[in-house]
């Protein structure tokens, strides 16, 4: 089974801090995604990557950056955390050209910015 | 741009009954994929069922089935014999090939199965 592991289930940080959310997948998937999930808004795509060192902006990239130095790891970075970035963050991965295959999700990181 | 609309923010159903969750989408594409994902409380999001647009036959997975109406751009999920474990957020999602284009999700429907 594909395993997508997010480094923290719960995280509390302070306004202005630089925050790193880590995601690792163990199935050699090319594509990795970061979503933000908020009540009433569903899942919104922040960034995605289809190869090492490649990144593409999603729908809401402002205030975020990403890093993909290795194929299995996709990091989401909050450059200067703000309270409006308090949310659930979901990482997902999928195989290249497997558009009829499901995305595999991690358990999520519930991030609180105080 | 594609959009996915789930018009029912919350629903409830009695155990053993049948419930239908609605999803509509907007696209000018002829070939695409549709998905229903389930997110149980405090648990991982998982795929429930998927439908390929060029297939006319509705997909079925055990108690879960879809009513795919391509002309109407409708993709509803029917859950038969509802169980307490079906309590979850359900998200409808759209994907257009090639795979570089990520999923577009609806806002979700919170389903509660009541004993």
């Amino acid at each position: 089974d594909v395993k997508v592991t997010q480094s923290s289930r719960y995280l509390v940080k302070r306004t202005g801090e630089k925050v790193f959310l880590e995601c690792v997948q163990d199935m050699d998937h090319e594509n990795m995604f970061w979503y933000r999930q908020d009540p009433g808004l569903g899942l919104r795509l922040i960034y995605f990557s289809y190869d090492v060192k490649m990144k593409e902006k999603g729908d809401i990239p402002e205030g975020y950056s990403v890093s993909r130095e290795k194929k299995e790891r996709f990091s989401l970075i909050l450059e200067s955390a703000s309270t409006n970035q308090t949310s659930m963050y979901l990482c997902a991965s999928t195989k290249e050209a497997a558009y009829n295959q499901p995305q595999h999700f991690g358990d999520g990181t519930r991030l609180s910015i105080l | 741009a594609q959009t996915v609309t789930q018009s029912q923010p919350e629903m409830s159903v009695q155990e053993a009954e049948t419930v239908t969750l609605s999803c509509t989408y907007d696209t000018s594409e002829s070939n695409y994929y549709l998905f229903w994902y389930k997110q149980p409380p405090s648990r991982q999001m998982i795929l429930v069922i998927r439908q390929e647009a060029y297939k006319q036959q509705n997909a079925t997975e055990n108690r879960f089935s879809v009513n795919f109406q391509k002309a109407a751009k409708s993709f509803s999920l029917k859950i038969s014999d509802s169980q307490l474990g079906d309590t979850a957020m359900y998200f409808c999602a759209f994907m257009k090939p090639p795979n570089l284009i990520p999923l577009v999700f609806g806002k979700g429907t919170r389903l509660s199965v009541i004993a």
Side-chain angles (χ1 to χ4, degrees):
Chain A
D1 270 357
V2 177
K3 184 72 174 175
V4 179
T5 303
Q6 294 184 230
S7 54
S8 305
R9 288 296 300 271
Y10 301 94
L11 203 55
V12 180
K13 296 291 183 181
R14 295 205 173 274
T15 303
E17 280 192 71
K18 190 169 186 177
V19 181
F20 293 85
L21 302 183
E22 305 288 346
C23 175
V24 176
Q25 49 91 6
D26 65 358
M27 283 300 292
D28 202 38
H29 283 176
E30 284 77 12
N31 300 326
M32 297 188 73
F33 307 85
W34 274 107
Y35 295 92
R36 172 176 170 160
Q37 182 180 5
D38 299 289
L41 298 178
L43 273 72
R44 293 179 292 168
L45 182 67
I46 305 171
Y47 269 97
F48 65 104
S49 168
Y50 50 89
D51 203 351
V52 176
K53 296 194 184 295
M54 305 297 287
K55 61 182 179 182
E56 294 285 342
K57 292 181 179 179
D59 299 318
I60 51 165
E62 295 78 18
Y64 304 94
S65 63
V66 290
S67 173
R68 185 119 182 249
E69 295 297 320
K70 293 184 178 181
K71 191 175 185 179
E72 66 271 19
R73 185 181 296 270
F74 192 36
S75 303
L76 179 69
I77 304 158
L78 285 65
E79 297 290 345
S80 178
S82 64
T83 54
N84 63 11
Q85 292 177 309
T86 291
S87 186
M88 169 71 87
Y89 291 87
L90 294 175
C91 176
S93 74
T94 189
K95 190 73 179 161
E96 181 183 7
Y99 43 78
N100 60 340
Q101 297 300 312
Q103 288 192 3
H104 298 270
F105 285 84
D107 288 338
T109 296
R110 189 167 293 281
L111 175 65
S112 297
I113 306 296
L114 305 179
Chain B
Q2 287 77 24
T3 59
V4 177
T5 301
Q6 293 179 248
S7 59
Q8 306 147 315
E10 294 188 25
M11 296 187 72
S12 62
V13 62
Q14 290 289 133
E15 200 174 6
E17 297 294 310
T18 294
V19 64
T20 298
L21 281 58
S22 301
C23 174
T24 59
Y25 57 94
D26 185 25
T27 184
S28 57
E29 302 294 329
S30 59
N31 186 27
Y32 49 86
Y33 297 82
L34 295 163
F35 306 83
W36 278 99
Y37 280 85
K38 169 185 177 181
Q39 186 183 41
S42 300
R43 292 182 63 186
Q44 199 175 61
M45 178 123 44
I46 58 172
L47 178 70
V48 174
I49 197 166
R50 59 175 169 251
Q51 174 82 40
E52 296 163 38
Y54 63 86
K55 289 188 177 180
Q56 294 188 346
Q57 186 174 6
N58 288 327
T60 299
E61 289 286 344
N62 300 315
R63 298 183 295 108
F64 297 87
S65 61
V66 299
N67 183 5
F68 174 49
Q69 299 184 13
K70 191 172 185 179
K73 297 179 182 175
S74 172
F75 182 61
S76 59
L77 175 69
K78 186 172 82 171
I79 307 174
S80 304
D81 186 24
S82 297
Q83 300 176 0
L84 296 178
D86 296 332
T87 293
M89 282 289 291
Y90 287 82
F91 293 95
C92 179
F94 172 101
M95 175 182 279
K96 180 185 85 70
N99 197 39
L100 294 181
I101 309 299
L103 287 171
V104 177
F105 284 89
K107 293 182 178 181
T109 296
R110 184 177 301 279
L111 176 67
S112 298
V113 180
I114 302 165

